[in-house]
């Protein structure tokens, strides 16, 4: 039951590359958090002075005092008038005390009303505070539940719906996971899938198993063991067969070769295939090439008429060194295929590649050169098959496409686009000649783990750089200035002054002589002199001190361009993780995803992808 549920979740009716992890929005702070009710103590009315309270107490004692005075007066035999006078005096005193006590009573009543109102207001504040705390707790609990229940994984699909998906880097396990996730979704849409697996790691085995469990037809051909079930060279006209072999041989050349070398190979192969009777097998073509080289040993592979026709064509090609080297190279290549090709009489099922369901073609073998030749023959056979199949929903996956060269992959992409076939290229090594494939026309790029530093750097450059402002300098200057000055002055002055004063006065004296008085004037004077001596000394001393402090702080930010995805990140990606880079509806899109099929069994996985 668990396996069936697992398979059901993988087969969705839309293309899925993997899943992207989206961190939910963290719990938000309550908008009421800053609105906590506060208590402000109301101003208490000021009480009257102490005498008012004393008057209140005296007022309470007046009745008892009055009774005591009246009783004492009656006991001691006082007259009624005296007792009445005492009572009147006490009554007057009571009136005076009452006038002082009434305000105090009013003040006490006012204070009681204030305390009652204050207690009621404080109870209301406590209720409001309790409601506020419950509101905050309810909001926090709701946010916590929302965060815990939020969806973490969303299906990841291509927004551009590109016709080609280029996958660079990765491991066998990562590719197997990607093929399961992508292939199951493609099968659910009704598409047929053809996988060319040149990795010898069985990366399409899991996809074939899941497809079989869901009832899809599965065909798996492993070459060269299953050559009779799918002969890659069968069913081709002589001209197309010669071109196919020429293309395969051309990609085997390690040194840079010109178009003339490819044309010469096609011409030589076409001349041999055109002069053969019956089905042209690799063994028969190799024998025909030996005839052109004049080294054929008449082993019975060719008829006498075929040998005669080929011998007559020797002079047409000449005996130049270039022709002889090309014939030798073609012979060695075809001998590798002839060693694993079935006997001419063996039954052959030339079933088409584009049958319903999943078709997996793998190549293997201990001979490295033979496998290289077989890989190229299979690839170019599929390229030619694309020209005859149009109008159907198909997906072609080529795993291990890094050894075919840029020219062959461009031709494959061109034919796939013409045929309307969804092409998926799995390239383990991002070699320099394949850098131009990054971001090709109408393609989406998936970058998986790239261990090589140069390849990771090239992939990071393709993803691009983004700018941000970073703090790159902090400056702090602290200074302090001290100034101190001392000054002094001294002055001395000394002087003498002399003054002389003279004064004179006249007086008259009267002398009586009988009836006659005689006045005799008298003159008197005085003279004084003084000498004044002064001396002045002045001392002055001045001290000046000053302290000045300064502090300067500065921050410098600069705009820097950094990799959107660092090369070290690409080197350390998990086996099933990838970086998707494509041109989306709103511009360039770069997103981190994971193609592990087991993610569908996790909790908090969305059923549909996020909208663009």
């Amino acid at each position: 039951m668990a396996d069936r549920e697992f398979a059901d979740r993988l087969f969705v009716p839309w293309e899925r590359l993997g899943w992207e992890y989206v961190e939910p929005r963290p719990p938000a702070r309550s908008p009421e958090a800053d609105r906590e009710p506060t208590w402000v103590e109301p101003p208490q009315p000021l009480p009257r002075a102490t005498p008012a309270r004393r008057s209140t107490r005296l007022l309470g004692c007046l009745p008892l005092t009055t009774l005591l005075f009246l009783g004492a007066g009656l006991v001691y035999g006082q007259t009624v008038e005296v007792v009445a006078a005492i009572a009147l005096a006490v009554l007057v005193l009571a009136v005076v005390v009452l006038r002082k006590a009434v305000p105090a009573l009013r003040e006490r009543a006012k204070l009681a009303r204030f305390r009652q109102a204050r207690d009621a207001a404080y109870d209301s504040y406590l209720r409001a505070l309790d409601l506020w705390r419950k509101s905050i707790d309810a909001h926090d609990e709701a946010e916590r539940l929302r965060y815990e229940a939020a969806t973490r994984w969303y299906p990841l699909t291509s927004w551009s719906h590109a016709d080609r998906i280029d996958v660079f880097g990765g491991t066998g396990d990562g590719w197997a996971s990607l093929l399961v996730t992508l292939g199951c979704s493609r099968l659910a849409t009704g598409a047929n899938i053809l996988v060319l697996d040149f990795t010898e790691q069985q990366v399409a085995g899991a996809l074939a198993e899941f497809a079989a469990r869901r009832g899809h037809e599965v065909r798996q051909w492993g070459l060269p063991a299953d050559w009779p079930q799918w002969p890659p060279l069968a069913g081709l006209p002589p001209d197309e067969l010669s071109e196919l072999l020429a293309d395969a041989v051309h990609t085997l050349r390690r040194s840079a070769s010109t178009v003339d070398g490819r044309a010469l190979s096609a011409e030589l192969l076409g001349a041999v295939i055109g002069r053969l009777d019956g089905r042209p097998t690799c063994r028969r073509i190799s024998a025909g090439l030996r005839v052109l080289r004049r080294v054929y040993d008449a082993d019975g592979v060719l008829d006498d008429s075929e040998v005669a026709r080929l011998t007559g064509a020797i002079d047409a090609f000449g005996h130049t060194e270039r022709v002889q080297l090309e014939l030798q190279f073609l012979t060695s290549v075809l001998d590798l295929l002839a060693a694993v090709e079935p006997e001419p009489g063996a039954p052959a099922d030339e079933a088409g590649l584009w049958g319903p369901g999943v078709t997996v073609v793998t190549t293997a073998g201990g001979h490295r050169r033979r496998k290289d030749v077989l890989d190229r023959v299979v690839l170019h056979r599929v390229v030619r098959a694309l020209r005859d199949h149009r109008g159907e929903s198909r997906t072609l996956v080529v795993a291990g496409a890094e050894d075919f060269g840029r020219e062959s992959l461009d031709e494959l992409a061109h034919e796939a686009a013409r045929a309307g076939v969804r092409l998926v290229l799995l390239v383990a090594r991002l070699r320099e000649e394949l850098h131009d494939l990054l971001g090709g026309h109408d393609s989406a790029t998936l970058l998986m783990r790239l261990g090589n530093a140069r390849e990771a750097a090239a992939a990071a450059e393709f993803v691009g750089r983004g700018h941000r402002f970073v703090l790159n300098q902090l400056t702090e200057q602290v200074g302090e200035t001290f100034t101190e000055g001392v000054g002094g002055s001294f002055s001395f002055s000394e002087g003498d002054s002399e003054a002389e004063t003279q004064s004179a006065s006249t007086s008259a004296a009267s002398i009586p002589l009988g009836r006659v008085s005689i006045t005799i004037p008298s003159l008197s004077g005085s003279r004084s002199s003084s000498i004044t001596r002064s001396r002045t000394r002045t001392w002055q001393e001045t001290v000046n001190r000053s302290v000045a402090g300064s502090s300067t702080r500065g921050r410098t930010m600069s705009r820097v361009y950094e990799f959107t995805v660092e090369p070290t990140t690409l080197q350390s990606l998990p086996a099933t993780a990838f970086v998707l880079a494509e041109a989306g509806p709103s511009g360039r899109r770069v997103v981190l995803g994971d193609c592990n099929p087991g993610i569908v069994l996790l909790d908090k996985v969305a059923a549909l992808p996020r909208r663009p």
Side-chain angles (χ1 to χ4, degrees), residues 65-75 83-84 86-87:
T65 304
T66 304
L67 294 177
L68 290 177
F69 272 105
L70 293 175
L74 294 175
V75 170
V83 173
I86 294 174

Side-chain angles (χ1 to χ4, degrees), residues 309-555:
R309 286 194 296 267
L310 290 170
T311 303
I314 292 177
D315 294 334
F317 295 101
H319 304 281
T320 62
E321 182 181 1
R322 180 180 179 186
V323 172
Q324 294 301 317
L325 291 176
E326 189 68 21
L327 288 171
Q328 182 180 359
F329 180 63
L330 293 175
T331 303
S332 65
V333 170
L334 289 173
D335 285 342
L336 293 174
L337 296 177
V340 296
E341 189 180 27
E343 294 296 331
D349 180 15
E350 299 183 2
L353 291 171
W354 303 110
V358 178
T359 303
V360 180
V361 179
T362 61
T363 59
H367 199 289
R368 183 73 259 174
R369 288 184 61 225
R370 180 181 294 118
K371 184 182 184 305
D372 288 344
V373 176
L374 190 57
D375 290 349
R376 285 157 174 78
V377 169
V378 170
L379 178 71
H380 287 280
R381 181 66 178 87
V382 172
V383 170
R384 275 156 178 79
L386 288 173
R387 300 172 181 173
D388 302 328
H389 293 79
R390 287 178 173 84
E392 298 178 4
S393 178
R394 297 181 301 275
T395 300
L396 172 61
V397 180
V398 181
E402 62 274 4
D403 293 329
F404 298 114
R406 168 72 185 281
E407 186 177 355
S408 297
L409 295 180
D410 284 343
E411 184 181 3
L412 175 64
H414 176 70
E415 294 298 336
R418 287 183 55 190
V421 174
R422 190 69 181 276
L423 178 62
V424 180
L425 296 178
L426 303 178
V427 181
R429 298 291 305 277
L430 184 58
R431 298 191 175 99
E432 293 184 1
E433 61 178 348
L434 300 179
H435 286 182
D436 292 339
L437 288 178
L438 289 168
H441 175 68
D442 197 17
S443 67
T445 302
L446 268 66
L447 301 174
M448 303 187 78
R449 183 192 299 173
L450 288 166
N452 185 273
R454 289 186 177 181
E455 297 173 6
E461 286 286 354
F462 161 72
V463 174
R465 299 171 182 263
H467 72 272
R468 62 191 181 97
F469 291 93
V470 299
L471 179 66
N472 63 358
Q473 185 177 357
L474 287 174
T475 304
E476 183 173 2
Q477 297 179 351
V478 179
E480 195 168 9
T481 304
F482 298 90
T483 304
E484 183 173 357
V486 179
S489 62
F490 172 75
S491 63
F492 175 78
S493 62
E494 185 175 1
D496 295 336
S497 61
E498 183 175 355
E500 184 174 353
T501 304
Q502 294 183 356
S503 62
S505 61
T506 304
S507 63
S510 178
I511 301 175
L513 294 177
R515 294 177 178 258
V516 180
S517 295
I518 300 174
T519 302
I520 300 174
S522 62
L523 182 63
S524 64
S526 63
R527 181 178 182 180
S528 63
S529 62
S530 64
I531 298 175
T532 304
R533 177 169 293 177
S534 63
R535 180 178 297 173
T536 305
R537 294 182 181 182
T538 305
W539 291 270
Q540 183 177 1
E541 184 175 356
T542 305
V543 179
N544 295 323
R545 292 186 179 89
S546 63
V547 179
S550 63
S551 177
T552 304
R553 293 181 176 88
R555 299 175 61 187

Side-chain angles (χ1 to χ4, degrees), residues 179-192:
L179 290 182
V180 169
T181 303
L182 175 63
C184 290
S185 62
R186 292 291 295 172
L187 287 174
T189 61
N192 302 325

Side-chain angles (χ1 to χ4, degrees), residues 26-50:
R29 192 165 176 259
S30 173
E32 301 293 331
D34 297 329
R35 302 175 185 176
E36 179 181 0
T38 58
W39 170 252
V40 179
E41 189 71 27
Q44 182 176 353
L46 297 177
R48 293 293 184 94
T50 304

